[in-house]
Amino acid sequence: MIFVGSHQAFRIGYGEDAHALAAGRPLIVGGVPITSPHGTVAHSDGDVLLHALADALLAGYALGDIGQHYPPADSAFKGMDSAKIVKGVLVILDQHAADFSIVNVAAAVTLDHPKLGPYRQQMQARIAELLALEPEQVGVTFKTSEGLAPGHIQARVAVLLAS
Ligand code: C5P
Ligand code: MG
């Protein structure tokens, strides 16, 4: 463990997620419903950003991943609001490291269409609300796949944790 300053230990967390897109399905990214002709084919609500965030938080303390804590085969999690997964993961972290805090979140979403830029502030606000942070602590960037993966959405999230 690395200690910096007054006995503070920092840990990095990183997570990824991807889902296939299909016409007529809902698209929810970072807890925000997106107006879109296609959405995710998923067991839960298919929010790749919140799934990658939850995995990043778990990875930061080597506590497994969301597939382990919320098995896809378990019907209890069908159509589940991913905000509940993030809240559940925070409880798991709290049990492991009661004094932990999140320094910042950095997220990247790859999606060819539609443009997510108009939703950036809403995503920052929603993620900040879920994590009890300020929106300025939540960076969210968007990229297309340049047409290489038009039928997919992907998210990658890094978090810095301190305890
Ligand atoms: O992938 P590309 O570099 O062409 O994306 C250009 C810009 O378009 C990104 O920096 C981002 O601001 C925006 N973008 C977006 N929504 C997406 C993909 C890209 O707002 N789904
Ligand atoms: Mg997922």
Side-chain angles (χ1 to χ4, degrees), residues 109-120 140-147 153:
V109 179
T110 303
L111 176 70
D112 279 4
H113 178 77
K115 287 286 185 207
L116 295 175
Y119 299 93
R120 192 190 325 264
V140 186
T141 62
F142 308 116
K143 295 304 284 182
T144 68
S145 77
E146 294 283 350
I153 181 169

